[in-house]
Structure formats: C-alpha cells, structure tokens
Amino acid sequence: EFSAQSSGIFDWTVPSGESVVGSVVDGDGQAMAGIEVQALSVEAGVSSAVNTQADGGFSSELQPGVYELAGVEQNTFFFSLGTVEVPFIDTLRLQRPTGALLQGRVVDAQGHPIEQALVVLTRDVRHLTKVYQPYLSAPQVYQSGGLVAAAISGEGGIYQLHAQGGAYKVIVFPEVTAGVGRLIRKVDLGGQRE
C-alpha cells in the first residue's frame, strides 16, 4: 500500500505475458490491415489492444486467463472475435462476422440525426457489458457471450453493422459514453436490412 504522505523507493515487478499470435480476415478470407484487436479479461481486470499489420497479422503478450476479443475498424465499427484462453499454442485465425448487414440512422424524437450514438447488436442483453477506456484508441464494447457487433453513428446519424444472420436485440446508447441504452428492439437478420 502506498500513501501520499509516505516516501521511499518502490520497486515493481511486471510479470511477462504469454505470446498470442493471429490474423484477422474478412468474409472472403482476405487480410484486414489496420484492425485494432482488443482483448479483455473481466476476471483478471486486464485489457490489451494491438493493430493488425498489412498481412492482417498481430501479436500480443497477455497474462494467462480467458479473454473476450473484439475487432475495431476505423475507430467506429466493433465486432466480436470470440474468446480465447491464454496460453494458446496455435495461431489464431479470426474472421469479421459476415452474412447480414444492418444499417440505418439514429435520430432524436424530433427526427434530428444523432451523431456519436453507440448502436449495439447483442444476443443477450443480460450479458452485455460496456466498458469505456479513454486510454485506448476506441471505446471498448465487450460481452460475456452477448456482443455481436457495434457501431458509432456518423454524419447524419448513419450507422452500419455486419453480422451473421440470426435473431438479435439492438440497444442504442445516445452517446458513446452513456451508461444506459434508451432503446431496445428485436431484429431478425437474414440478409441486408435497412
């Protein structure tokens, strides 16, 4: 324990992590460069973020534990990449969800577009956890089995989410940093929807 009223020399030992290597591809198997791969272990209270290289590859060092993985594209689109238990010996091959597209606009009660709203696609609202960490390059949206995709609405309140077909719930947070969503609706994605 450290007190601001005490003084002294404090040495810290930082444990080395386990190497995690992988790649991120799109629905056609093409490498996705510039994707931020975020890893969060709720149980261990640690997170990490690294960017993919031109070949879609990434590497990181993580402490042993179970991590939720998410991809961030252009600091605006978020998608679940599943979970991984570290240590993990093989190379991870992670794919951005495809098959359906949900897109539209976020507007207020008067019909004015809302920019910077967070639109979250989830399977189970009860397991959704939203974590905002400003020291990383993007808001982090994680789950314990619930997150499918998320997007921050842009100019004109426009958003776009890629996912696999299926039944989901959509939660809209009027601001990226808002703690409570104001709208929950069920959607069934079988293909492209607007």
Side-chain angles (χ1 to χ4, degrees):
E1 186 174 310
F2 173 76
S3 168
Q5 297 168 341
S6 65
S7 60
I9 297 172
F10 297 92
D11 294 330
W12 307 99
T13 301
V14 178
S16 61
E18 299 285 338
S19 180
V20 176
V21 178
S23 63
V24 179
V25 297
D26 64 16
D28 297 324
Q30 299 299 311
M32 295 187 72
I35 299 296
E36 183 177 284
V37 177
Q38 300 177 345
L40 174 75
S41 173
V42 176
E43 65 187 38
V46 278
S47 63
S48 170
V50 296
N51 289 317
T52 59
Q53 304 302 313
D55 64 355
F58 68 90
S59 65
S60 182
E61 287 205 5
L62 299 171
Q63 295 301 311
V66 177
Y67 290 81
E68 300 287 341
L69 302 178
V72 180
E73 188 174 1
Q74 300 173 2
N75 221 20
T76 306
F77 307 106
F78 307 81
F79 46 92
S80 173
L81 292 169
T83 60
V84 64
E85 185 168 352
V86 175
F88 187 81
I89 302 201
D90 294 328
T91 299
L92 293 169
R93 182 169 167 91
L94 307 171
Q95 181 178 344
R96 178 178 71 181
T98 59
L101 174 66
L102 177 67
Q103 59 187 357
R105 293 179 63 216
V106 179
V107 297
D108 64 17
Q110 291 76 39
H112 300 107
I114 300 176
E115 296 178 9
Q116 299 297 304
L118 180 62
V119 181
V120 179
L121 192 63
T122 179
R123 294 186 193 284
D124 189 345
V125 176
R126 296 171 299 168
H127 293 142
L128 187 68
T129 303
K130 182 171 168 294
V131 179
Y132 180 68
Q133 295 183 339
Y135 62 86
L136 294 175
S137 62
Q140 294 183 334
V141 182
Y142 288 104
Q143 62 9 14
S144 294
L147 176 77
V148 174
I152 298 173
S153 61
E155 187 175 336
I158 296 173
Y159 72 90
Q160 180 175 315
L161 299 169
H162 293 274
Q164 294 178 343
Y168 303 104
K169 291 182 180 155
V170 177
I171 305 171
V172 178
F173 296 86
E175 298 175 8
V176 171
T177 57
V180 177
R182 293 196 184 161
L183 176 68
I184 299 177
R185 292 241 169 94
K186 293 180 181 179
V187 294
D188 187 4
L189 298 179
Q192 187 168 347
R193 298 289 170 97
E194 291 190 36

